[in-house]
Amino acid sequence: ESDVPVLADVSFEVAEGETVALVGSNGSGKTTLVKLITGLYAPTSGKVIVAGSLTTELDRGDFHRLVSVVFQQFDTYEATAAENIALGDWERLLDDDQAIEKIADDVGLRPLIDRLPEGFETELGRSFGSTALSGGQQQVFALARASARPVPIMILDEPTANLDTVSGTQVIDLIKELNQKDGQTVVMVTHEREYAMGCNRIIHMED
């Protein structure tokens, strides 16, 4: 209900298997655009098409099969370390310890989990209170959940915001690996110039 459109004259296409960086100053509409792509917002004008369908015609199940998302706001679930990964695709993973451990290995979580008091069975989250994770550690768990489900499109909103340079580089390398291995389409919001330069294309938003 703003007097001024949040987004105007924004038009682009992302090809299958492409990695695209969305860059721009704070308030330029990057996160709003991501929420439009994922169907969390409905456009008041214009249209957003994902995998050949208007987002306004897709239901939540369709989005779940097509898109995985990591936003800047994330948290640890009140659950074990294993369950915090499995919840990314809980119907398939909740009782599959081997698959959960493979995901942890793929995203570089294994060293952290091995240091936890009870490994994969360590209870995490505020209620349990026995083990506190840093923001960066929580972010890697969030990425593990997002990569747990095989989908054609991955949306990442500042995936390295809470990570140090080394950890951030590891996350970007993981994203590239997923893109190359599975042909996954990746749209990444980032303020990091070096990470944006590693993408196939950069879309710069302003005003």
Side-chain angles (χ1 to χ4, degrees), residues 15-135:
E16 182 177 353
E18 190 175 19
T19 300
V20 171
L22 290 177
V23 304
S25 60
N26 290 336
S28 62
K30 301 183 299 297
T31 297
T32 299
L33 181 57
V34 163
K35 291 184 177 181
L36 284 163
I37 294 171
T38 55
L40 295 174
Y41 290 165
T44 52
S45 64
K47 58 187 177 182
V48 182
I49 298 172
V50 175
S53 298
L54 289 167
T55 55
T56 50
E57 296 177 354
L58 293 170
D59 62 25
R60 300 316 307 166
D62 292 328
F63 278 109
H64 188 73
R65 287 185 289 273
L66 289 171
V67 183
S68 193
V69 192
V70 178
F71 288 111
Q72 293 182 57
Q73 298 82 18
F74 52 85
D75 206 343
T76 304
Y77 289 103
E78 314 288 344
T80 66
E83 289 165 346
N84 263 277
I85 297 170
L87 284 167
D89 192 3
W90 68 271
E91 290 178 304
R92 181 175 65 90
L93 293 174
L94 211 49
D95 296 317
D96 192 338
D97 294 343
Q98 191 172 358
I100 292 170
E101 291 177 14
K102 183 179 185 307
I103 294 166
D105 289 334
D106 289 345
V107 301
L109 257 180
R110 175 71 76 135
L112 167 61
I113 292 174
D114 285 345
R115 292 195 301 271
L116 295 175
E118 297 178 57
F120 282 91
E121 295 307 310
T122 303
E123 295 177 332
L124 305 176
R126 293 190 185 98
S127 295
F128 296 128
S130 59
T131 302
L133 299 180
S134 69

Side-chain angles (χ1 to χ4, degrees), residues 69-71 74-75 137-147:
V69 192
V70 178
F71 288 111
F74 52 85
D75 206 343
Q137 290 169 336
Q138 290 182 53
Q139 190 147 8
V140 179
F141 267 99
L143 284 163
R145 280 193 296 275
S147 62

